Amino acid sequence: MLYHVRMDVVIPSDMDAETLAKLKADEKALSQQLQAEGKWRHIWRLAGEYANFSIFDVESHEALHDIMMSLPLYPYMQVDVTPLLRHPSSIRSDDS
Ligand SMILES: O=C(O)C[C@H]1C=CC(=O)O1
């Protein structure tokens, strides 16, 4: 199942630099692991914002939920999830 996820990150202004650097490094490592596994299919930066548009390809709502809950930056994110399905007019072979 495919999901479009928008993540907006809001870091508290009083978070110390070392904690933030560790959170970002852990988030990057997990994100890249999930991308390598094919579960996090795309990630795009929204120009000018600390936010991304991502496409996840996972087996269920529960699987997506578990991934989102596991993200180190999740406590500092506002998340918007949209389930996707193949459009009948699509000519792409890789979008389902
Ligand atoms: O930077 C972000 O958009 C937030 C988060 C998502 C993946 C990652 O490495 O960080």
Side-chain angles (χ1 to χ4, degrees), residues 62-75:
E62 188 179 22
L64 179 73
H65 183 79
D66 290 346
I67 286 173
M68 296 310 301
M69 293 300 111
S70 74
L71 297 180
L73 282 174
Y74 181 79

Side-chain angles (χ1 to χ4, degrees), residues 51-70:
N52 71 74
F53 279 155
S54 289
I55 301 292
F56 286 85
D57 186 357
V58 294
E59 63 271 17
S60 64
H61 293 352
E62 188 179 22
L64 179 73
H65 183 79
D66 290 346
I67 286 173
M68 296 310 301
M69 293 300 111
S70 74

Side-chain angles (χ1 to χ4, degrees), residues 10-16:
V10 182
I11 302 295
S13 55
D14 61 351
M15 183 181 287
D16 68 272

Side-chain angles (χ1 to χ4, degrees), residues 7 9 24 27-29 31 35 40 43-45 50-52 54 71 73 77:
M7 303 177 213
V9 184
K24 285 184 175 180
E27 178 85 17
K28 183 173 185 173
S31 169
Q35 289 175 64
W40 195 328
I43 180 167
W44 296 93
R45 176 64 78 218
Y50 192 3
N52 71 74
S54 289
L71 297 180
L73 282 174
M77 283 178 184

Side-chain angles (χ1 to χ4, degrees), residues 1-2 41 57 84-87 90 92-96:
M1 300 175 78
L2 294 171
R41 247 205 232 183
D57 186 357
L84 302 172
L85 65 157
R86 183 181 176 81
H87 194 285
S90 175
R92 294 182 60 94
S93 57
D94 63 348
D95 60 358
S96 57

